[in-house]
Amino acid sequence: MSENPIIKAFTTVEELQKYAAGMIARLLNEGIGERGNASIALSGGSTPKGVYQRLGGEPFLSQVDWMRVHLFWGDERCVPPDHRDSNFRMTDEALLRKIHVPAANIHRIRAELPPADAATLYEEDIRSYFGGARPVFDVMLLGLGEDGHTASLFPGTSIVSEQARYVADVFVPEFNARRISLTLPVINAARMIIFLATGNNKAAIARDVIAGKGNYPAGLVKPGTGMLFWLLDDAAASLLTA
Ligand code: 6PG
């Protein structure tokens, strides 16, 4: 495991998005080269949308053999796939519609189902893709909430301490809604974990999480044998000490 995360700050969000898209394309190609296919767990929220849009355009679109890429999600809101809050809908509009990828490679969380059923089915899908072995995603994209959550691992929720299941559903009091999320054992097993955070509103939490302060779920993201990158714009990096 890399003892320390690699932190890169960018003057503009656009520069970050371009760098992130290029990094993801390279990592996917490495996975395809080494294992014949590659797997990525996509983050929800608003920050990654621009990265997905760039991945779905040139030069990155033609750099990746998307037929060999398997797309998963780090978490999902318990809404239908066409709902405005759906992480799937966001990624479908930004990326999926632009890439030639078999339907079987799109491992959507079926969040329109009862949450416990959706979580069970998603875990079965993950176990099946990884052939029963421990899931090791080539790329794990994560966002950062101002409260230190990541994926749908929110402070004070039981899923944060889940060590057996790869996927769980969880009630999130601040939204008065349930969500479905990968758990830390899966997140931390990934080859490359990439946090994306932009904006002044993320500066304090990014500083604290990177410094290991507080007991935030995002601070529990510690890759086992993989690497951890933070891609920040200057605003989100503005409170980091050297
Ligand atoms: C979600 C994400 C969540 C997100 C953070 C940051 O489903 O919303 O998984 O963890 O990454 O809340 O969201 P923003 O990128 O919108 O700031």
Side-chain angles (χ1 to χ4, degrees):
M1 169 182 109
S2 61
E3 282 309 307
N4 298 308
I6 297 170
I7 302 165
K8 288 185 173 296
F10 300 84
T11 307
T12 66
V13 173
E14 291 70 27
E15 285 176 51
L16 180 156
Q17 291 171 342
K18 196 181 302 180
Y19 182 90
M23 184 177 177
I24 292 165
R26 175 173 56 77
L27 291 166
L28 292 176
N29 284 329
E30 284 175 7
I32 292 166
E34 291 169 12
R35 286 170 294 280
N37 57 41
S39 56
I40 181 170
L42 299 163
S43 172
S46 58
T47 303
K49 184 170 184 177
V51 177
Y52 302 154
Q53 288 169 331
R54 287 180 183 277
L55 269 174
E58 295 304 342
F60 308 113
L61 180 61
S62 53
Q63 284 179 7
V64 178
D65 180 0
W66 294 101
M67 294 293 284
R68 295 176 179 270
V69 176
H70 284 258
L71 300 114
F72 297 78
W73 279 259
D75 69 328
E76 185 58 277
R77 294 80 180 276
C78 291
V79 296
D82 60 353
H83 191 281
R84 68 178 180 282
D85 291 343
S86 166
N87 288 333
F88 172 82
R89 174 176 165 177
M90 182 272 285
T91 50
D92 184 39
E93 292 171 348
L95 176 60
L96 301 186
R97 294 176 184 181
K98 302 168 187 171
I99 60 178
H100 297 296
V101 61
N105 289 27
I106 297 176
H107 302 264
R108 182 177 70 85
I109 301 173
R110 295 165 60 185
E112 67 278 13
L113 298 175
D117 296 344
T120 300
L121 289 171
Y122 191 45
E123 171 140 355
E124 288 172 357
D125 188 11
I126 290 172
R127 288 180 181 275
S128 170
Y129 174 74
F130 287 101
R134 186 173 67 123
V136 180
F137 285 94
D138 290 293
V139 184
M140 177 69 60
L141 291 183
L142 294 174
L144 177 67
E146 292 180 56
D147 62 355
H149 80 263
T150 191
S152 284
L153 308 179
F154 286 81
T157 60
S158 58
I159 191 174
V160 175
S161 57
E162 175 62 51
Q163 292 297 316
R165 291 186 293 173
Y166 298 153
V167 182
D169 65 296
V170 59
F171 177 73
V172 183
E174 70 186 273
F175 299 124
N176 190 31
R178 300 194 76 80
R179 290 209 178 170
I180 296 155
S181 181
L182 294 180
T183 58
L184 278 167
V186 179
I187 291 170
N188 285 335
R191 290 188 179 86
M192 179 66 74
I193 303 172
I194 305 171
F195 271 106
L196 302 170
T198 61
N200 288 310
N201 63 314
K202 302 291 177 73
I205 190 63
R207 173 201 57 201
D208 291 349
V209 168
I210 289 170
K213 288 183 183 169
N215 188 25
Y216 301 110
L220 299 176
V221 174
K222 299 180 181 357
T225 56
M227 295 182 71
L228 175 59
F229 267 72
W230 284 82
L231 303 184
L232 308 166
D233 68 350
D234 281 348
S238 58
L239 297 179
L240 296 185
T241 54

